[in-house]
Amino acid sequence: MEQGETLVLLGTSGCGKTTTLRMLNRLIEPDGGTIFINNENILGLSPHLLRRKIGYVLQNNGLFPHYTVAENIAVVPRLLNWPAQKIKERVNTLLDKLQLPAGKYADTFPAALSGGQQQRVGLARALAADPPVLLMDEPFGALDPITRSVIRKEFKELDELKSKTIVMVTHDVNEAFELGDHICLMDKGRVVQHARPAELLFHPASDFVRDFFKHQRLQLEWQTVPLSAVAGYLPKGKTDGMMLPPDQDLWQVMQQLSEHISATAYTKDPGTGEYKQVSLALLQDAYSNYRKQEQDQ
């Protein structure tokens, strides 16, 4: 993994996802082998010093109920002996970025927050000391589907995460494909395949991998293929109506077209510079032709 990428640990229940994650900050000590972070064997480091360099977000946020929001976020900076003014500025900055204005929420206690707000505070606490590595264990699992979708969208757009190396555990396949640059698919304590999302779908290493994704395959395929890949199979069109960026995946495009069913839409083919007409029917035909050519090659 490179800096700024997200690795998702995905697999069957009890396959070892959380155990693997917790070995990375030595909450669980491995029975054997070595673990390197930034070319350094973490087994030679003091566990409590190691954890100060790694952010950790839990499914149920793990906030201290008797601490205010600001006090919860400030835990690690205080352990690192940051000056009080620096801590306050960092806390306020994170709250504002996570859409929890400091003036309103800093002195609030966790019990007064919604589930989504508590999860944002948990993320802010993990980011407070600006660690290079962030571990996330089912971070959105306790949220209702609507809140979960909103928080995931905010997560992808948060500039604080652009330079972080993130390892995330989830049981949600769609979440894995939406957020992961790499996916490590596990079964019975073993890594079955470690690859980019598209490779898992189009080049599965085994029948287990192929079968794991079969019930959501079409949606997952559309989440991994950008509009630019099928632009060559779309008819020429005019530059009127809704402009669709060619780097959007086909699932995002389909959602936009479904929300604006009567609108005209177009995109620009990066390969030829031509403008192409886009509709749901045209998109489905273009994708079919794209997949046929891919399989013939």
Side-chain angles (χ1 to χ4, degrees):
M1 281 181 65
E2 299 295 331
Q3 180 180 359
E5 292 189 320
T6 297
L7 168 68
V8 174
L9 302 177
L10 179 68
T12 53
S13 179
C15 71
K17 303 185 294 294
T18 294
T19 298
T20 300
L21 186 81
R22 289 166 67 89
M23 285 193 292
L24 297 181
N25 62 359
R26 295 183 63 184
L27 288 174
I28 294 178
E29 296 288 358
D31 296 326
T34 54
I35 300 171
F36 286 85
I37 296 178
N38 199 24
N39 296 319
E40 187 173 23
N41 185 351
I42 67 169
L43 300 182
L45 301 175
S46 166
H48 74 277
L49 292 178
L50 170 69
R51 291 168 197 151
R52 292 181 187 181
K53 301 176 184 178
I54 299 176
Y56 191 35
V57 183
L58 303 169
Q59 176 175 345
N60 293 309
N61 66 68
L63 299 178
F64 299 117
H66 56 292
Y67 281 14
T68 65
V69 164
E71 289 169 337
N72 266 283
I73 297 172
V75 168
V76 175
R78 282 188 178 138
L79 288 173
L80 297 174
N81 295 315
W82 283 21
Q85 185 58 34
K86 182 180 178 181
I87 292 175
K88 182 177 180 180
E89 290 173 358
R90 180 61 173 161
V91 167
N92 290 349
T93 295
L94 286 170
L95 284 173
D96 289 340
K97 286 184 176 182
L98 288 162
Q99 301 182 37
L100 295 170
K104 181 177 181 181
Y105 292 100
D107 296 325
T108 302
F109 287 91
L113 303 178
S114 68
Q117 290 170 336
Q118 290 182 21
Q119 204 61 40
R120 289 186 182 95
V121 175
L123 178 56
R125 184 176 63 181
L127 292 171
D130 198 22
V133 177
L134 187 64
L135 307 181
M136 309 185 77
D137 190 3
E138 295 277 7
F140 315 121
L143 304 176
D144 64 85
I146 294 177
T147 303
R148 185 177 184 134
S149 177
V150 171
I151 297 291
R152 281 202 323 231
K153 185 171 185 287
E154 292 177 0
F155 176 84
K156 287 196 300 182
E157 296 173 352
L158 189 62
D159 63 349
E160 286 279 342
L161 300 176
K162 301 300 183 185
S163 62
K164 305 295 182 193
T165 301
I166 301 171
V167 182
M168 175 187 295
V169 167
T170 183
H171 68 277
D172 187 318
V173 173
N174 287 320
E175 188 166 276
F177 273 71
E178 182 180 351
L179 300 178
D181 298 295
H182 305 265
I183 295 175
C184 180
L185 183 61
M186 302 179 66
D187 181 46
K188 298 176 182 177
R190 296 183 177 273
V191 174
V192 181
Q193 187 171 358
H194 175 199
R196 292 192 178 273
E199 188 175 350
L200 288 170
L201 289 177
F202 302 124
H203 304 287
S206 65
D207 290 340
F208 175 85
V209 179
R210 182 181 296 105
D211 292 344
F212 192 86
F213 300 109
K214 66 181 180 181
H215 297 300
Q216 297 157 282
R217 185 173 182 86
L218 180 59
Q219 178 179 344
L220 296 175
E221 285 187 15
W222 279 43
Q223 283 181 269
T224 62
V225 176
L227 179 57
S228 59
V230 305
Y233 302 97
L234 293 167
K236 293 182 181 179
K238 298 179 180 179
T239 56
D240 59 356
M242 182 169 52
M243 169 61 179
L244 299 169
D247 60 347
Q248 279 191 325
D249 65 57
L250 298 185
W251 190 255
Q252 292 174 311
V253 171
M254 188 202 71
Q255 289 178 316
Q256 287 191 59
L257 292 172
S258 298
E259 292 169 1
H260 304 88
I261 197 68
S262 61
T264 58
Y266 71 98
T267 192
K268 187 174 183 179
D269 186 342
T272 64
E274 296 177 328
Y275 289 98
K276 299 297 187 78
Q277 183 181 350
V278 186
S279 69
L280 285 173
L282 291 172
L283 200 63
Q284 290 170 345
D285 289 342
Y287 182 70
S288 295
N289 291 326
Y290 163 78
R291 286 295 297 135
K292 182 178 179 182
Q293 180 172 331
E294 288 286 302
Q295 292 165 356
D296 290 343
Q297 291 178 346

